[in-house]
Amino acid sequence: MDQLLQTLNAILNSAISPQTAALAIAAIGLNIHFGYTGLLNLGQAGFMLIGAYGFAISIIGGLPIILAIIIALVAALIFALILGIPTLKLRGDYLAIVTLSAAEIVRMIGRSSILTDITGGSNGLTGNQYRSPFTSLSFFGDGHITVGPWSYDATGSNGWWFIATAWFVVGVLCLFVWAIMRSPWGRVLRGIREDEDAVRSLGKNVYSYKMQALILGGVIGAVAGIVYILPASLQADSMGRSMTYFIFTALLLGGAATVFGPVLGAIVFFAIRLFVQGIAGQFIPSSIMNGQQTEQFAWIIIGITLMLVVIFRPQGILGNKKELSFDVK
Amino acid sequence: MIMLVMVAIVTMVTLGSSSARADTTPGPVGTAATTCASDATTGCLQGTIKLPNGDPAVGIKLEIKGGDLDTTIATGDDGKWSQAITVAGPYTITVDTSSIPDGAVLDSATKNPATVTGALNKNVGYVFKVVGGTTAADGTTTQTPGTDTGTGITFDRFLQQFASGIRLGLLLALAAVGLSLIFGTTGLSNFAHGEQVTLGGLLAYLFANVLGLNLILAAVISVVICAATGYFQDALIWKPLRRRGLGTTQLMIVTIGLSIALQYSYQYFLGASTVRIDRANPVTVDLGPITLSAQSLISMGIAVIVIALVGWVLVKTRVGRATRAVSDNPALAAASGIDVDRIIRLVWTSATALAGLSGVLLGLVLNGVNWQTGLQLLLLMFAAITLGGLGTAFGALAGAMIIGLVVELTNLVLPGDFKYATALLILILVLLVRPQGIFGRRERIG
Amino acid sequence: MSSDMIAPGADDDTTRAGTTTLSHGMTAAGAAAKASVAGVAAVPGVSKPDPILTVDHVIRRFGGMTAVDVGHLEVQRGIITALIGPNGAGKTTFFNLITGFDKPSSAPRLIGGPKAGEAAKSTFNGRDVGNTGATKVAKMGMVRTFQLTKALSKLTVIENMRLGAKDQPGENLFVSVLKPLWVKRELEITAKAEELLARFKLLDKKDDMAGSLSGGQKKLLEMARALMSDPVMIMLDEPMAGVNPALTQSLLGHIQSLRDEGMTVLFVEHDMNMVRHISDWVVVMAEGKVVAEGPASTVMNDPAVIDAYLGAHHNTDLGDDSLLTDEVAEELAAEVQNEALTEGETKA
């Protein structure tokens, strides 16, 4: 029973943690790519990494936080241009392979020993190297606040200030996505997702729209990177290919091409993991499955969940099957 | 553009600072006992300890702690020591001073214990300097020679890396041809193909090392089991899903899910550490300036034969022609009486068998396998088949050779961190100029 | 009356044709259209009095095969021109080349291109479109439809229509965020869309997903959507393929009314009987080349045309309208689908 409560508690904590918010933001960005436009971006973690490095390095270099954020977003914009120019005129698989590769390149460069002075190499950068300008913006005071089942420091890392900001960003982005996707702009994207040639025949510049979508989703990915590292540290390997896969899993769980799908998906993603881990930890004797193995077991379940969702409920929890266009050309 | 500039800067920085770095790559050695080769999933800590008279210091014990390691190793007959690591991070190396022969001590300038930062995919060297006398009186010596040549370009080094490139290319091709055939016949980009490679290596470890079977027998059994996984995968997953009418994107994401599940399954059963298929120290063979282990040479031979066989089947046999017909146009192939489902089943079976073989050979050549051996390779496979032209089996072979060479030759000018990055960068640049790949047909790119 | 001079017996045919008969009187616009090309000689590549589209040296090769090789072709403004030919004649490829969806192999290049004067060149409405992409071509007023309908099936019918409209400021990302900035234009567009839908008898389907429409309704939707941008010239790729005979008739009627409103229509069809009654001019392609052009009746008696068709439909009688039974139409549609499938495969 204790363990059950513990599991429940862990799930509740993860549901509002800034890391969950970061995953949700990354999934919102990917939703613009994949859900609405049909762009198969397999390098969303690369955009996160670009944003994270852009932000952290700028802060460490002594720039004000606003400028650091702008640099991070512009870096992601340039990254999107670099990826989009050679691939957006080609078939979808090429974008997939190039984004996947480029994200890996970013990670490899980030963790390379040559750049240790700037990026911290494979050890990365610790949070307190870049966190303080953000912490000092807090108007939450120094105390300890308890809301319902949640109890955190007001401002300290992983505290309410981080949580509130992260979810505020999530909220703003949801509103933004809702606004642009109900607009004629969003309509063009949905048209492209289904049939580029049809949209082209109507005089819309498909290439330009795809590029806009790629940039927008990528820049949101960079925001996710910043949110992700603020309460934690920046390590290149934590934003590798697995991260992209997890973002995809979250997005598809919640429902691609829906406004709240990515958010719900991110929460459910962590909940499933913790739930499986907790249950396995409690009910399966450790002689059969030790602590480490319960964690791996949870990941196996995540992988299988992704398979099952895509096969049996490709529209996810919130999606509408009639509107989902899954195939990318 | 920016990436180009970055790489250029990085190149300059590296060349400029190469002499100041402690990284070493084993140069051509005679009868070396160096058994560690770094790749994407392993790194090496290594060094040479010499006696004050220049002779190798044999049998000096070093304790290495860090990552998931806590081990003691000893220098070999040539004074070299090396330790493969699978986790990047700081390692503490302590020399057991009592194992140093009489009349020599550790230089006082040498830290003991020393802390080095190990990284995957590179060789990190550390020099323990041994000086004469019973005290560390002589502190004015220069560094032990022979460890600073890490990134210098010599013709010999070029040849050595070239040979390694061919080796990687061949093993990559084994896996990539299968991936390409699956893509060609079903339109599916199989993201779980890397895990098939890992499976081959891990099974070989299981049979050869854990169960103690003869290596060749173990390899054969592994490949057969891998083939069976392909057969049943198609029977139980892919064929029903094709019937269900899932699109290729949907199927691709299913393979991502499968890939995640398999990776963690491997970790679940075997942990995150690297396991070695063959525990014996490999015998090395000198071919002029090129030194390769006997296992490498045999593996390359096997790869060449198998690839040639696959090529022969594709070109000369009925089944091969049918496979290519299905790749070209499944509807037409079906209309002309080819049993498309049977061909696809066959492609899955042989593709996973080839991947498994590649995994076994990689495990032997690279000194071990772990849960992410294939994962690291997957991108290179994709790069190879894209470079060669999506869906063309022969393009995959050529692409794999190019990627293999690029990866290994990059080591000449850039540190190991960048060897995969350059391969992927070249892929992106090629796409800019020739999107259909080197052997692809223009019409295929949409 | 002038129509009798150009196409003697056309009216007789129409009467005999039964299901495909267009029970309309010859409109004034129709008569004018026929008159505008009355004096033009029926030889391939002939110049027209007022060409809206001129194409020169358009060659497209796939591997070793030459799919299209058109030396010179002009399309007269304001009339219905039918582009016909047996399966595999290169009609759709030619269409793709004109509309910027494909690039001629003979396109001028910086290095290594064809000799000056032999490079592909096309002019639309007085402007060079030789090297123009599909988007720009459409923006210039040449809008096309597709052989396999590209109704966006997961958008509603009305959304499909709205997507066809021009000048919606809300299609700009920065404007799109604020609804007040684009809502006025959206209302105008919607009104126009509903008007067109009413005309094409799709209004009661406006909130349905386009995917739920029948094949013929999708064709109609695609045509209506193309009209949303007020095109100067509309290019229809096999508008009758896969459409049931009842709808075929209404489709043909719509095509004529487009012309009567002053639009230029160029449409691809592989069956001559489908086109003879409504086209003012017929261009025949075979094996990638224009083998004949002229008024329908002239062209149908042209030995080159009969040759071209005999190759493909050796057991069918060209002039017999009874061919147009459902069965044959379906068969033709199936052929078209197959052809498209094959083309799709090679592309994919």
Side-chain angles (χ1 to χ4, degrees), chain B residues 67-119:
Chain B
D68 53 359
L69 270 183
D70 182 358
T71 183
T72 303
I73 57 169
T75 54
D77 289 344
D78 50 2
K80 287 178 184 291
W81 59 272
S82 74
Q83 174 61 44
I85 55 166
T86 55
V87 179
Y91 286 82
T92 315
I93 308 175
T94 318
V95 176
D96 179 356
T97 44
S98 65
S99 65
I100 299 175
D102 290 342
V105 290
L106 214 53
D107 187 333
S108 62
T110 303
K111 282 184 188 139
N112 190 32
T115 305
V116 296
T117 305

Side-chain angles (χ1 to χ4, degrees), chain B residues 328-332 441-446, chain C residues 60-63 341-343 345-348:
Chain B
D328 251 19
N329 185 338
L332 199 65
R441 277 179 286 156
R442 180 111 212 148
E443 284 75 40
R444 277 186 171 269
I445 61 168
Chain C
R60 180 69 169 100
R61 292 183 205 91
F62 292 105
L341 198 68
T342 324
E343 278 174 19
E345 298 293 352
T346 26
K347 268 186 101 177

Side-chain angles (χ1 to χ4, degrees), chain A residues 26-88:
Chain A
I28 289 172
L30 186 66
N31 197 18
I32 294 178
H33 294 150
F34 180 72
Y36 290 106
T37 323
L39 298 176
L40 205 45
N41 167 24
L42 289 181
Q44 188 68 342
F47 282 102
M48 289 178 74
L49 210 48
I50 293 261
Y53 275 128
F55 176 78
I57 294 169
S58 305
I59 296 266
I60 294 170
L63 296 178
I65 187 162
I66 292 293
L67 205 56
I69 292 173
I70 291 173
I71 287 176
L73 303 190
V74 169
L77 185 150
I78 294 169
F79 188 56
L81 279 174
I82 294 171
L83 297 185
I85 288 170
T87 55
L88 287 181

Side-chain angles (χ1 to χ4, degrees), chain A residues 252-282:
Chain A
L252 294 169
L253 261 178
T258 62
V259 172
F260 293 110
V263 183
L264 182 66
I267 296 172
V268 171
F269 174 82
F270 282 111
I272 291 181
R273 226 196 63 193
L274 291 170
F275 181 75
V276 172
Q277 207 174 323
I279 294 296
Q282 186 177 11

Side-chain angles (χ1 to χ4, degrees), chain A residues 134-158:
Chain A
F134 174 72
T135 316
S136 61
L137 287 179
S138 169
F139 47 83
F140 278 32
D142 286 332
H144 194 87
I145 305 173
T146 301
V147 179
W150 296 292
S151 176
Y152 299 102
D153 284 346
T155 297
S157 82
N158 250 332

Side-chain angles (χ1 to χ4, degrees), chain A residues 170-187:
Chain A
V170 172
V172 169
L173 286 174
C174 281
L175 192 68
F176 175 70
V177 167
W178 171 78
I180 55 171
M181 288 310 166
R182 67 169 182 166
S183 79
W185 187 81
R187 182 166 64 216

Side-chain angles (χ1 to χ4, degrees), chain A residues 91 176 179-180 182-185 187-188 190-191 194-195 197-206 209 212 216 322-325, chain C residues 101 134-135 138-139 143-144 146 150 152-155 159 162-165 168 170-173 176-177 179 182 186 209 225 348:
Chain A
R91 222 174 43 198
F176 175 70
I180 55 171
R182 67 169 182 166
S183 79
W185 187 81
R187 182 166 64 216
V188 178
R190 278 178 284 138
E194 204 167 324
D195 196 324
D197 280 346
V199 178
R200 202 172 280 133
S201 78
L202 298 172
K204 319 287 177 207
N205 189 343
V206 168
Y209 278 100
Q212 291 170 35
L216 189 61
K322 273 198 284 184
E323 281 179 53
L324 180 83
S325 171
Chain C
F101 277 84
T135 305
K139 276 188 179 156
V143 178
R144 72 169 293 182
F146 295 85
K150 291 189 183 291
L152 302 165
S153 47
K154 279 155 187 175
L155 264 56
E159 287 283 78
R162 287 180 184 138
L163 195 58
Q168 167 55 277
E171 286 179 3
N172 177 304
L173 174 57
S176 73
V177 186
K179 192 174 180 183
W182 50 262
E186 189 79 348
M209 291 290 168
R225 189 177 66 191

